[in-house]
Amino acid sequence: MAWRSSGTSNAELVENLWRNKLITQPLVKSAFLKVDRAHYAPSPSSAYEDSPQPIGHEATISAPHMHANAVETLLPFLLPKVEPGKQAAMGVASVKGQTGRPRRVLDIGSGSGYLTHVLAELVGDTGVVVGLEHIPALKRLGEGNMAKSAEGRHLLESGRVRFRVGDGRKGWAEPSPAGAQPGVGGPAATNGDNGETTEDNKDEAGGWDAIHVGAAAVELHEELVRQLRSPGRMFIPVDAGNGWEQYIWTVDKDDSGNIRKERLYGVRYVPLTDAPKS
Ligand code: SAH
């Protein structure tokens, strides 16, 4: 099913993902149509193939059908919060307990930056997406790829997308707005990373509505679960522990902080590791 979605243009690729029911929600489709995969893929000739492709440093840009499924799975936690009635009209289920806080999304192992951009198209003008990489050259790759389009440059300049360097297994605490330098990496601040809102930083209070992990973890890292907002959702590939199987898991935190973990389907991702020694 996966490979049948390749196209010769971005629009054709997205249309094929739609036809093959790998994208099922209109808002996801329009977000994918807005981001030209050729700006993020290693070679223009294979940019619209539905396959993972090497981007250096033993990393790959994941296959479009995987990006599609990740976004579909996280969608209720990405969209700007609107009244429940309107969200239904937009074609998505509303999520109980959501208030008007801007969305905050963490893309761990941002690699090419492609998914980071798609996520940013969904969170709306007030949302923030942080792409986190442990290899500085890949952080720069994602940023450089995003700067190829006017929309991408706007996302970087406005600070709505920021690429950072850090170990994704520990999550990320973004400095408060006053200290934030859009698009510039820096050490994690330790304040407000557990979803608490203070008067000073209520627009960008810590915690994440959605965490996407783009590399296979050895476990469902507790620190990442802790950094989820209530409600919030994580999408994470995890090694089954037998050396060859990996599965996508979702971890949901509900309004009251209760955790629900669900194993979805088998996958093949590069591992979430220590940064290579340089
Ligand atoms: N979503 C990216 C996937 C890149 S592959 C894309 O589609 O382009 C997985 C990425 O995870 C690699 O870029 C790798 O450098 C990164 N990675 C691996 N371990 C990591 C860690 N501990 N912290 C942050 N990033 C990590």
Side-chain angles (χ1 to χ4, degrees), residues 57-60 62 108-109 133-135 138 167-169 213-219 221 236-239 243 246 267-276:
H57 307 271
E58 297 179 19
T60 57
S62 300
I108 296 174
E133 255 301 327
H134 69 161
I135 299 178
L138 287 174
D167 182 349
R169 295 169 295 190
V213 184
V218 293
E219 57 175 320
H221 293 285
I236 179 170
V238 183
D239 278 328
Q246 298 171 353
V267 285
R268 184 115 297 272
Y269 276 69
V270 301
L272 193 67
T273 59
D274 291 335

Side-chain angles (χ1 to χ4, degrees), residues 37 51-53 60-67 112 114 212 214 269:
R37 204 176 167 84
S51 63
Q53 293 154 17
T60 57
I61 176 172
S62 300
H65 67 273
M66 276 314 308
H67 286 145
S112 66
Y114 173 78
H212 172 264
Y269 276 69

Side-chain angles (χ1 to χ4, degrees), residues 1 14-30 32 64-65 67-76 90-93:
M1 172 160 79
V14 176
E15 202 51 55
N16 289 341
L17 289 166
W18 178 261
R19 196 165 36 86
N20 292 328
K21 300 194 168 40
L22 294 156
I23 294 177
T24 65
Q25 308 189 65
L27 288 169
V28 174
K29 185 179 184 186
S30 48
F32 274 76
H65 67 273
H67 286 145
N69 187 260
V71 174
E72 292 247 320
T73 304
L74 292 172
L75 189 66
M90 288 163 85
V92 291

Side-chain angles (χ1 to χ4, degrees), residues 234-258:
M234 173 159 69
F235 177 101
I236 179 170
V238 183
D239 278 328
N242 57 15
W244 55 280
E245 277 178 304
Q246 298 171 353
Y247 291 92
I248 293 295
W249 286 74
T250 51
V251 180
D252 277 26
K253 194 185 274 185
D254 72 12
D255 301 335
S256 321
N258 299 315

